[in-house]
Amino acid sequence: MQSKLLTEFRGLFDGVKYLHRKSNQGDRVASFLYEDLFHLARSPKLVAAISSKSHVINSANKTVGRQARRGDGTFGERVPNVPPTNVPGISVAFGQVATLEIGTEVKVLAKAMRKQLDRVCTDLANQAAEFRKHGGRPICVAVVGVNRSDSYISYEGRRAFATDGKKYPHPKQEADQVEQDLWHRVRRNFDEFVLLRFRATNKRPYTFAWVDQTHTQTEYGASLVRISIEYESRF
């Protein structure tokens, strides 16, 4: 099975300039988790819920009638009087939800990763707590990309900022410690913690590579199976 989430994540960097301040990127990547779960078809309950349009990806990432911090991608039972929205090429419909059954948070660490780590860990832990805040035993999923390239350029408007390996460490210099810290500090907050190791310099021609594509596909596929089994059990 070709993973749409991994393809979409790759598309953040492959052949294009990655702009880290675009707020909707995590939403789009997260939405394809549900597409992959549907096509895996490991949970009959999930497949039936998606096929009938009774359950949808939440277009606002909030449950109707409940105050909550927005996540990147939430999935639950659709509000009955609000029709679903179908997107060409995507099997899972979008709409407003009354419940939260699966919540997904996406983070991409590409440069200055140690500097961002406290904020990222806090955001992840807070979002997992928010998913669970209103009960219902939602399945909480984190998808975190960690760059391991030899160098990197980030962009702020027309200004470019390159790593130099000294004052501004290259991603590969920070990746091991960042992964360890993520695992020890926030892994326990999620039912599934998907770590995506990649290499992208964000320089023309904007190439992208998985550190180990087979391993990435295998680990992500195993997470999909476990999420499906858990969905079948909880709901």
Side-chain angles (χ1 to χ4, degrees), residues 73-193:
T74 52
F75 174 88
E77 188 167 356
R78 178 172 59 85
V79 176
N81 61 334
V82 180
T85 299
N86 299 302
V87 177
I90 298 179
S91 302
V92 190
F94 290 79
Q96 296 186 47
V97 300
T99 65
L100 196 161
E101 294 181 345
I102 307 175
T104 306
E105 183 73 1
V106 175
K107 293 292 184 185
V108 181
L109 289 163
K111 180 198 171 194
M113 297 185 288
R114 293 294 300 276
K115 185 177 179 180
Q116 299 179 64
L117 193 60
D118 284 345
R119 176 187 59 79
V120 168
C121 287
T122 298
D123 285 352
L124 285 168
N126 287 346
Q127 189 60 63
E130 195 65 50
F131 286 149
R132 297 186 174 99
K133 182 177 179 180
H134 301 291
R137 297 185 66 218
I139 300 169
C140 300
V141 182
V143 178
V144 183
V146 176
N147 195 6
R148 287 182 166 270
S149 66
D150 294 337
S151 61
Y152 189 83
I153 295 179
S154 61
Y155 302 92
E156 296 283 351
R158 295 184 178 182
R159 300 178 65 191
F161 301 88
T163 59
D164 59 13
K166 298 176 183 178
K167 184 178 180 181
Y168 305 105
H170 300 309
K172 70 176 183 180
Q173 294 174 285
E174 300 187 304
D176 285 343
Q177 188 61 55
V178 165
E179 285 188 18
Q180 290 178 29
D181 286 354
L182 284 166
W183 194 259
H184 289 109
R185 293 173 61 179
V186 294
R187 167 65 185 89
R188 64 183 178 275
N189 298 94
F190 292 88
D191 297 287
E192 284 296 324
F193 193 89

Side-chain angles (χ1 to χ4, degrees), residues 4 32 38 40 56 92 105 127 138 151 157 183 203 215:
K4 293 192 175 183
F32 285 98
F38 176 72
L40 179 66
V56 295
V92 190
E105 183 73 1
Q127 189 60 63
S151 61
W183 194 259
K203 304 174 188 175
H215 179 78

Side-chain angles (χ1 to χ4, degrees), residues 201-214:
T201 63
N202 215 18
K203 304 174 188 175
R204 292 184 184 278
Y206 305 118
T207 58
F208 176 95
W210 298 111
V211 170
D212 185 332
Q213 184 171 354
T214 299

